[in-house]
Amino acid sequence: MLVAAAVCPCPPLLVPEVAAGAASELDTARAACADALGVLAAARPDLLVVVGPAEPSGRGPHAEGARGSFRGFGVDVDVRLGADRGADASGPLPTSLAVAAWLLERTGWADAPIEGLGVGEPLEPERCIQTGRGIAGRAERVALLVMGDASACRTLKAPGYLDERAAPFDAEVARALGAADVAALRALDAELAYELKASGRAPWQVLAGAAEEAGLGGSLLYEDAPYGVGYVVAAWS
């Protein structure tokens, strides 16, 4: 059963070496992510599953010890998902799970075994829900770290340019994640999320499936749109 969840954004810019001179601009987001991971640790899970958006080559699943890198962003930074378990046949971590691995290393996670799962942006909502239900049944006490960004269309300089639908979409996402509103997450419009380049839609709906019978409460820890991309941090317990 799901006993806790943390929701974090997944821009590589969370890693200070990637952000370089702009690293301080996301200090508040990093601190909120650390607080959310603290909620996971306090729940004393038997298993932590990290879920994030991924291209087909990175969907995994990824075993504990899987490795990732930010070398593609021009920095010599490597990460590992939890303890080193030797060779991982699933291949390198997708960027979203590499960011999660960096967050977990930064906070010194050693509270439970870890697994990673990349999900594709086109994954249908019902498939996401079913995936979440399966994760919740993996252990008596399961925690989820859910990675994903909201829209990328909040400003003229955003990656997806300005779309007037982006701000209300992100506001509803932040409300639903902050309130642990499972029904609202299930109801997110997959087509609209795709048009707004919201990479978190599928992972959030996996969370909704995992949390159906959990009765968790939520707390919104951070919501902003630096660089025109919506970032949300929330904790459920």
Side-chain angles (χ1 to χ4, degrees):
M1 174 178 283
L2 187 72
V3 295
V7 177
C8 295
C10 58
L13 291 173
L14 278 178
V15 179
E17 291 87 345
V18 176
S24 62
E25 296 176 5
L26 290 180
D27 280 348
T28 303
R30 293 186 194 96
C33 290
D35 290 343
L37 292 184
V39 172
L40 297 186
R44 302 180 65 84
D46 301 319
L47 173 67
L48 172 64
V49 179
V50 184
V51 180
E55 297 299 324
S57 62
R59 291 178 187 171
H62 298 272
E64 184 163 17
R67 297 178 182 274
S69 172
F70 296 96
R71 294 173 188 267
F73 299 94
V75 297
D76 187 14
V77 176
D78 298 317
V79 293
R80 187 179 67 227
L81 191 65
D84 189 354
R85 303 296 185 189
D88 175 34
S90 66
L93 295 171
T95 300
S96 66
L97 300 192
V99 173
W102 180 85
L103 289 171
L104 290 163
E105 288 183 2
R106 180 172 180 259
T107 55
W109 179 271
D111 297 271
I114 305 174
E115 296 179 7
L117 178 65
V119 294
E121 186 176 43
L123 191 64
E124 300 91 342
E126 190 52 42
R127 288 282 305 280
C128 294
I129 297 298
Q130 292 171 0
T131 299
R133 290 171 181 159
I135 291 172
R138 291 285 311 283
E140 186 174 341
R141 298 182 64 81
V142 176
L144 270 175
L145 173 53
V146 182
M147 309 298 293
D149 300 337
S151 76
C153 303
R154 291 280 292 272
T155 66
L156 292 174
K157 294 184 178 181
Y161 196 67
L162 177 65
D163 190 314
E164 298 296 340
R165 301 172 297 173
F169 176 87
D170 287 359
E172 172 59 11
V173 165
R175 186 206 65 76
L177 291 172
D181 188 337
V182 171
L185 293 177
R186 288 190 59 157
L188 288 176
D189 186 327
E191 183 175 349
L192 176 59
Y194 177 80
E195 292 173 359
L196 296 177
K197 303 183 185 300
S199 69
R201 190 276 306 171
W204 298 330
Q205 290 185 321
V206 171
L207 169 60
E212 281 180 333
E213 306 297 330
L216 303 180
S219 177
L220 183 64
L221 305 180
Y222 176 87
E223 192 276 324
D224 201 358
Y227 321 119
V229 180
Y231 298 152
V232 179
V233 181
W236 294 18
S237 62

